[in-house]
Amino acid sequence: DVEMLIVVPTGESRSYSVTTRPMSRGGATVGAVAVFRDWTDLRRATKELVENEQRYKILSEASFEGVAITKEGKIQDSNPNFAHWLGYEPADLVGMTGIELFPEDERARVRELSTEDEVGYEARMLRRDGSTFPVEVRGRFAKFHNDVVRLAVIRDITEKKQREAELLEKTEQLRALSLRDELTGLYNRRGFMEIAEHHLKTDQRARKPCAVFFADLNGLKLINDQLGHEMGDRAIREAARVLESVFRASDVVARLGGDEFAIFASECDDLGVVAAAMRLERAVSDLNDTSTNRYRLSVSVGAAVLHADEPRDLAALMQAADQNMYDVKRARHQRFSLRVRPG
């Protein structure tokens, strides 16, 4: 048996496999029988197949993504990248059921998605050591040697998820800053409206009373005019700290702007309003008794209670509390006094 490269009349070189045997007559060799088989197309197809396999191997091994081929749910082949992510060698994965590489709580969803062609989804995969990591999977069906197989391209998105988490955290930080008053650290008007509205709806669903307080820092203009705006800012901050100390941590304390403050108190009825007002009066008095400031802090407060059966919204409740505060101020004829210390 030999192989020959023969130039045919068209000028094309073709490959032949030649099998020969001698022809004998009277003990002497008089000729030979030769059978020629044209292997050109077969050799070309074989060469292309080898080249394709080498190309696939280079592409799959050089890829930053993982590649796996499954047949009837069992892994037939994978590239090293995919195997190493999971803590295996490629040969270790052959014969494994692909769904086992996902955590229990992911398997039903992944199994359903794996029946679809040209599908993409995110999931978590299970490493050999039991830890998990997030992936993006793109799957499709293909024909290979007359068999239907599924080709899956997997991308490790751990860094992507970390960036998304960092971006979300920064967004939340920026959002939190946008809801806060820069001078006092309390909620600003926007923050008060957003968060108090949420608490109000919660109390209404639970059929519990709630209250809105309006507080006014008396004499701020006088402090600014006679002692300077730095002292005015200090008075605003002191008023903020007093309000925070008087109300509960669950209450929403805000500076609406200038010398105006608002507080939303959940589960607060008429008795709760009276008790809070008394605590505020004592707290302001205690601060003035121990303060070395050249002014006395003075705060006016009013409130409105929303009982369980009342239909009022937050805006109406705030308006009622604001009006009550001014009614209280007029009834008590409160005056702000400036105390100037010697020297």
Side-chain angles (χ1 to χ4, degrees):
D1 292 337
V2 296
E3 291 187 10
M4 302 177 118
L5 192 64
I6 298 177
V7 180
V8 297
T10 61
E12 178 188 6
S13 297
R14 298 190 68 84
S15 298
Y16 288 86
S17 170
V18 185
T19 302
T20 63
R21 64 182 180 86
M23 294 177 60
S24 301
R25 181 183 298 163
T29 300
V30 296
V33 175
V35 179
F36 287 74
R37 297 180 181 86
D38 189 339
W39 279 18
T40 305
D41 294 338
L42 178 61
R43 289 179 67 87
R44 184 179 296 126
T46 302
K47 181 181 179 183
E48 289 177 355
L49 180 61
V50 171
E51 288 178 350
N52 286 338
E53 289 179 348
Q54 290 176 339
R55 190 179 299 113
Y56 162 74
K57 184 177 181 181
I58 291 171
L59 287 174
S60 66
E61 291 183 357
S63 173
F64 292 105
E65 298 175 325
V67 180
I69 299 173
T70 60
K71 177 183 174 183
E72 297 178 353
K74 292 190 178 295
I75 297 175
Q76 308 296 304
D77 197 5
S78 70
N79 69 342
N81 220 24
F82 178 62
H84 294 162
W85 286 348
L86 299 169
Y88 295 94
E89 293 298 325
D92 298 332
L93 295 177
V94 175
M96 289 182 64
T97 303
I99 202 69
E100 294 177 2
L101 299 176
F102 295 88
E104 290 275 358
D105 58 345
E106 294 270 22
R107 292 179 185 177
R109 182 174 66 92
V110 172
R111 187 180 286 110
E112 181 178 352
L113 290 168
S114 297
T115 63
E116 300 179 20
D117 195 16
E118 300 289 349
V119 67
Y121 57 91
E122 291 186 3
R124 290 177 297 117
M125 295 203 78
L126 194 60
R127 294 190 184 94
R128 192 171 194 169
D129 62 8
S131 61
T132 62
F133 65 104
V135 295
E136 181 183 82
V137 183
R138 298 191 304 277
R140 60 176 300 182
F141 291 105
K143 279 265 191 167
F144 184 72
H145 290 173
N146 296 322
D147 289 325
V148 176
V149 297
R150 186 169 182 81
L151 178 65
V153 178
I154 303 98
R155 187 157 66 98
D156 184 344
I157 56 173
T158 301
E159 291 185 2
K160 174 188 173 185
K161 289 297 183 182
Q162 288 174 344
R163 288 195 299 271
E164 288 177 354
E166 290 171 0
L167 180 60
L168 180 61
E169 182 180 358
K170 289 178 181 178
T171 301
E172 288 298 321
Q173 289 173 350
L174 289 173
R175 179 180 176 277
L177 288 174
S178 73
L179 301 179
R180 291 285 180 178
D181 173 56
E182 186 176 353
L183 178 62
T184 63
L186 299 178
Y187 287 110
N188 56 22
R189 180 180 291 272
R190 177 185 173 190
F192 179 79
M193 298 299 294
E194 183 174 324
I195 298 171
E197 185 72 45
H198 172 74
H199 286 310
L200 175 63
K201 291 179 179 178
T202 301
D203 287 343
Q204 286 179 320
R205 283 195 298 268
R207 299 183 62 79
K208 294 180 179 179
C210 57
V212 167
F213 294 79
F214 256 60
D216 191 51
L217 175 59
N218 300 313
L220 179 62
K221 184 177 184 305
L222 188 58
I223 295 176
N224 286 331
D225 291 346
Q226 297 194 24
L227 299 178
H229 286 276
E230 185 176 343
M231 281 295 180
D233 288 347
R234 176 185 293 184
I236 291 172
R237 286 194 293 266
E238 284 185 341
R241 300 291 82 79
V242 168
L243 290 171
E244 280 189 312
S245 69
V246 166
F247 289 93
R248 300 165 297 182
S250 59
D251 295 334
V252 184
V253 183
R255 179 189 176 212
L256 301 184
D259 57 3
E260 293 184 334
F261 297 84
I263 303 94
F264 183 91
S266 295
E267 301 184 33
C268 181
D269 55 15
D270 298 274
L271 290 177
V273 166
V274 173
M278 292 176 64
R279 290 198 303 271
L280 178 59
E281 186 175 353
R282 285 197 301 269
V284 171
S285 177
D286 291 343
L287 175 66
N288 287 326
D289 289 344
T290 58
S291 174
T292 59
N293 291 326
R294 300 173 66 192
Y295 59 83
R296 292 181 64 83
L297 198 69
S298 177
V299 177
S300 297
V301 63
V305 176
L306 181 66
H307 298 284
D309 298 327
E310 291 184 88
R312 285 189 297 180
D313 58 15
L314 181 61
L317 197 59
M318 291 175 66
Q319 185 177 2
D322 190 25
Q323 183 60 50
N324 179 250
M325 180 189 69
Y326 283 104
D327 290 344
V328 169
K329 290 182 74 168
R330 284 195 298 269
R332 296 179 60 182
H333 300 288
Q334 288 185 327
R335 294 180 59 192
F336 172 80
S337 59
L338 179 69
R339 183 180 66 201
V340 180
R341 294 182 181 276

